[in-house]
Amino acid sequence: NLDNKINQYRDTLQKLQNNLQNTESELQLTSQKLRQTKKRCSEFSDAIKAVLEFLKHNENPIDIIQWNEILKKNKKSVSKFGSELKTYDTLTEYLVTLTHKIKALEKQENHLQTSVNDLQIHKRDLVAYIQFAEKKLDQKITDAKKEIDDLSSNPFRMILNSDKPHHVLPVLLM
């Protein structure tokens, strides 16, 4: 019965370890996406600030030759930036969208890290319980072996120590 319990806990531990590995992998992917999105946001941040500055002075940034230099500085081609910008109405909307995406990825990363921490705690508790159960089982086996050795060295001891009437003893001695 104790062996079954230990096996059940080992199975549960294995499932938790698999779940932990999967969650850690998902955390790594989410962290990578977060870093990439932050980088993209950072790349566009300077460009957007420059464009907003032009707009603030009622200048059209597309007509300014430095526009290409801004994009080059941020390692963006005019066509790629233009196609990304077409998805959004304004540069500000694009930046807001990237900021929201960063916040969502940070939240997901925090959630996954909490899950990893919880799984590690659960794993530690299960390992401790399995070790405790194994020690108990080893002690029971040792005690049983000792009792068997004691009984095999003195077979009459069992009869003398039993609660049954001792009238069996004379029959055995005849």
Side-chain angles (χ1 to χ4, degrees), residues 93-111:
E93 184 181 327
Y94 183 62
L95 183 60
V96 167
T97 301
L98 286 175
T99 304
H100 287 303
K101 191 172 185 177
I102 287 171
K103 287 180 182 178
L105 288 170
E106 285 173 337
K107 184 177 179 180
Q108 184 179 5
E109 180 183 44
N110 289 337
H111 173 72

Side-chain angles (χ1 to χ4, degrees), residues 62-82:
I62 297 173
D63 294 337
I64 298 175
I65 297 173
Q66 291 179 342
W67 180 244
N68 281 333
E69 295 302 316
I70 292 169
L71 291 174
K72 284 179 187 176
K73 178 183 174 188
N74 290 287
K75 299 176 184 166
K76 291 288 177 185
S77 70
V78 174
S79 61
K80 183 175 180 183
F81 185 70

Side-chain angles (χ1 to χ4, degrees), residues 31-47:
S31 296
Q32 183 180 6
K33 285 180 184 177
L34 176 61
R35 285 189 301 276
Q36 290 170 347
T37 304
K38 281 183 176 181
K39 183 179 178 191
R40 278 182 50 202
C41 184
S42 171
E43 290 171 354
F44 283 109
S45 182
D46 290 339

